[in-house]
Amino acid sequence: LGSSHYIMDPQTGPYLNKRALCSPLGAARMCQLALGCAVIALIAHGAGYSGSHGEFCMAAWCFCFSMTVVIFFLDATRLYSCLPISWDNFTVTCAAFATLMYVTASVVYPLFFVRSECPYEGCHVRDFRIAVTVCSILGSVSYGAEVALCRAKPGQAVVGYMATVSGLLKVVQGFVACIIFGALANRSEFSRYEATIYCVAVYSFCFALTAVVVLLTVCGRTKSVLCMSFERFVVVCTLLEVLLYLSASVVWPVFCFDSKYGTPERPYHCARGKCPWDSKLVVAVFSFVNTILYGADLMYSQTVRFVSTRFPTAPRV
């Protein structure tokens, strides 16, 4: 019988990626996992949640925790090299999105579930909910730390577009658009006028265009788009989005709050959370917010130059 002989090749490294743990980025992800697990355990043990707001917070924490588990596992085992995506773009996009989700949950949960007085269930429930809020805030910081660690520095050759300020703004724009869609779905009465239907079409088109840019970068398809370079394509798309959002930011308030078409002041008999006027106000405010974000994106994207790649790259730290 023959025997097998194993030879240690000095040219190859270990199978597991030590930097997934022994690095600032690895430490940030370990904190994300620990805090995410703590939040879910506290909710299940005694803090609890209810209603649509509680379900949103729980869904956000569970989704971010699951996403971090997958990213950490793929990074530690180097299996990300088997995926047809740009790993740097993918991870920084996920970290930026998770930061926004955690920040939102960190505001919504204490606003609806934490009270200074003890609820009927007892003071231990309030204490659990305070602990959930603290862990959620710390989770926001840990995800924000990952974004800061992966963000492209001035003068640095940029491999991942999503690591630039322009790329990160794309994630924020998409998140703000989701808030707008949520408000539109909540009794906004947008179908009342053709002008407000036009605004909804603008929000949908701009969101789809932003999603296309993000998907192209995550998939590493950044050499050229149609008949132009990817950088020029991004600038053209952003300029179009600025113009469309600017028009919607003017049209929507006119047809919702002008006395000829809508109601300038909030009706006194409207129940909170179920009032169309509130939803219209949310859409108007976040339309202006996204207009500013797209404008900032347009100004910054003028100077972005990066090295495009279709292959997964190793983490920076």
Side-chain angles (χ1 to χ4, degrees):
L1 296 175
S3 59
S4 299
H5 300 279
Y6 295 91
I7 301 175
M8 295 296 293
D9 186 355
Q11 299 299 323
T12 60
Y15 288 109
L16 294 181
N17 182 14
K18 293 182 179 179
R19 290 191 301 178
L21 180 61
C22 303
S23 68
L25 184 58
R29 287 177 180 162
M30 290 299 294
C31 289
Q32 294 163 14
L33 291 172
L35 291 167
C37 188
V39 167
I40 296 172
L42 287 168
I43 289 287
H45 184 66
Y49 66 94
S50 61
S52 58
H53 298 95
E55 290 173 356
F56 163 77
C57 294
M58 193 61 182
W61 290 321
C62 291
F63 174 78
C64 293
F65 178 74
S66 302
M67 182 176 63
T68 305
V69 170
V70 172
I71 290 175
F72 180 79
F73 178 80
L74 292 175
D75 192 15
T77 57
R78 291 193 175 95
L79 288 176
Y80 63 82
S81 59
C82 301
L83 303 176
I85 62 173
S86 173
W87 184 247
D88 284 340
N89 282 316
F90 176 73
T91 54
V92 73
T93 301
C94 291
F97 182 74
T99 302
L100 295 172
M101 293 287 284
Y102 255 79
V103 169
T104 305
S106 299
V107 173
V108 171
Y109 189 81
L111 187 64
F112 286 91
F113 296 99
V114 178
R115 298 289 183 270
S116 57
E117 67 277 2
C118 294
Y120 293 113
E121 295 87 346
C123 288
H124 67 283
V125 175
R126 181 198 61 183
D127 296 339
F128 274 123
R129 291 177 177 178
I130 292 174
V132 167
T133 303
V134 172
C135 289
S136 184
I137 293 172
L138 293 176
S140 306
V141 174
S142 63
Y143 280 108
E146 179 176 350
V147 174
L149 289 169
C150 295
R151 188 176 65 85
K153 308 302 188 295
Q156 181 184 44
V158 182
V159 175
Y161 169 75
M162 296 306 298
T164 65
V165 173
S166 182
L168 294 173
L169 283 172
K170 287 282 185 284
V171 180
V172 182
Q173 292 158 9
F175 187 79
V176 171
C178 290
I179 296 176
I180 292 175
F181 293 141
L184 287 171
N186 186 28
R187 305 167 184 265
S188 64
E189 300 176 344
F190 66 85
S191 60
R192 188 174 181 182
Y193 299 106
E194 292 182 357
T196 51
I197 294 176
Y198 160 78
C199 293
V200 176
V202 167
Y203 302 141
S204 302
F205 177 76
C206 292
F207 176 77
L209 206 55
T210 300
V212 167
V213 172
V214 173
L215 287 174
L216 285 173
T217 55
V218 169
C219 295
R221 313 286 180 173
T222 56
K223 289 186 177 181
S224 62
V225 180
L226 301 177
C227 60
M228 63 189 82
S229 65
F230 181 75
E231 296 96 322
R232 186 174 296 277
F233 173 74
V234 170
V235 171
V236 171
C237 290
T238 307
L239 176 59
L240 179 60
E241 289 163 335
V242 168
L243 296 176
L244 289 173
Y245 252 94
L246 193 59
S247 66
S249 298
V250 173
V251 172
W252 181 269
V254 169
F255 280 83
C256 290
F257 305 116
D258 186 84
S259 57
K260 182 178 179 180
Y261 304 102
T263 308
E265 298 181 357
R266 188 180 189 279
Y268 67 91
H269 60 275
C270 254
R272 295 198 175 275
K274 298 181 179 179
C275 185
W277 195 90
D278 294 341
S279 298
K280 294 174 183 177
L281 181 62
V282 171
V283 172
V285 170
F286 282 98
S287 294
F288 283 112
V289 170
N290 242 1
T291 302
I292 295 172
L293 290 174
Y294 279 114
D297 186 5
L298 180 63
M299 289 188 292
Y300 184 83
S301 60
Q302 296 294 315
T303 59
V304 172
R305 299 292 184 274
F306 61 97
V307 181
S308 61
T309 177
R310 291 186 62 179
F311 301 97
T313 52
R316 294 182 180 82
V317 288

